[in-house]
Amino acid sequence: MLIALVVAAVIVAGIPSLRSRPWPLSRARRRVRSGPSDEVALLNGLAAELRAGASLRMALVAGAERAPDLELGRAVRAAAAGLPMSEVAAGVEESLPGNGRLVAGALRLAASSGGRSAVVFEELALRAAEAGELSRERRARTAQARLSAMVVAGAPVVMVAVLLMTGKGQVLLEAGAVGHVIAAVGIGLIVAGLAVVAAVLRTAERAP
């Protein structure tokens, strides 16, 4: 029992991503995370509707249907209800993680100028597509490094588990206070190493 508790504590405490990552059941219930491709779909749809003669508000509503993973409910409701474009733009800005500020500004400008704005949203769609491509290339190039980091971080955990399960690690646990201190320091270093690796991986994933 003691062996199992120690191994479990090392793994759970040292890998924050395991605690924050949902289990399969909760993952199925969680909304799919939107990405650059969703923003591209929205912007292309919005531009296409504008070129077809739709108003800016109705173009946004129709464009939102092409990007269901974007949480555009607030913006769509505001547009359909005829609320000020500033409120519609605010809803769009908070829903688009990559280009929200630019798209919101384009909406405000298009609403105030009344000019042909389809080309503006097409350019924004190209920008979002390029950003998505760069992000995919970055993830592909760093995949091997992330895998290596995970292996390096997990190796000490595996070694501790093997030592405890084969009984060799019991020597420290039976050595009194000194052995307990050594074991605690070792586990602490493993946990710290895992935390550092997890932080580095999260930073790499969030990098533009």
Side-chain angles (χ1 to χ4, degrees), residues 125-207:
L126 288 175
R127 181 184 186 278
E130 291 175 356
E133 182 63 26
L134 289 174
S135 178
R136 287 191 292 271
E137 289 182 4
R138 176 181 55 79
R139 288 196 300 269
R141 291 179 180 180
T142 59
Q144 184 62 42
R146 291 198 303 270
L147 178 60
S148 298
M150 293 174 64
V151 171
V152 171
V157 177
V158 175
M159 292 179 62
V160 170
V162 171
L163 288 174
L164 292 176
M165 291 180 180
T166 57
K168 296 181 180 179
Q170 291 294 121
V171 175
L172 289 177
L173 299 179
E174 296 173 355
V178 175
H180 294 168
V181 170
I182 295 175
V185 171
I187 292 174
L189 291 174
I190 292 174
V191 170
L194 291 173
V196 170
V197 170
V200 170
L201 292 178
R202 285 198 298 268
T203 301
E205 290 175 355
R206 295 172 183 172

Side-chain angles (χ1 to χ4, degrees), residues 20-182:
S20 59
R21 184 168 299 172
W23 294 98
L25 181 59
S26 61
R27 186 185 298 115
R29 296 176 180 176
R30 196 176 69 172
R31 188 177 184 83
V32 177
R33 184 180 179 183
S34 59
S37 60
D38 298 296
E39 298 187 19
V40 172
L42 167 68
L43 293 167
N44 281 331
L46 199 161
E49 293 294 328
L50 289 173
R51 289 194 178 279
S55 67
L56 183 60
R57 294 175 183 275
M58 292 301 100
L60 176 61
V61 172
E65 295 178 355
R66 302 192 183 190
D69 290 332
L70 291 174
E71 297 181 356
L72 289 163
R74 174 189 170 189
V76 169
R77 289 191 297 270
L83 296 179
M85 185 55 66
S86 59
E87 186 167 344
V88 177
V92 171
E93 182 173 354
E94 70 180 14
S95 302
L96 275 61
N99 300 276
R101 184 173 299 180
L102 290 175
V103 177
L107 287 171
R108 295 188 185 97
L109 180 62
S112 61
S113 66
R116 299 178 61 182
S117 55
V119 64
V120 175
F121 295 104
E122 288 172 348
E123 290 296 326
L124 288 175
L126 288 175
R127 181 184 186 278
E130 291 175 356
E133 182 63 26
L134 289 174
S135 178
R136 287 191 292 271
E137 289 182 4
R138 176 181 55 79
R139 288 196 300 269
R141 291 179 180 180
T142 59
Q144 184 62 42
R146 291 198 303 270
L147 178 60
S148 298
M150 293 174 64
V151 171
V152 171
V157 177
V158 175
M159 292 179 62
V160 170
V162 171
L163 288 174
L164 292 176
M165 291 180 180
T166 57
K168 296 181 180 179
Q170 291 294 121
V171 175
L172 289 177
L173 299 179
E174 296 173 355
V178 175
H180 294 168
V181 170
I182 295 175

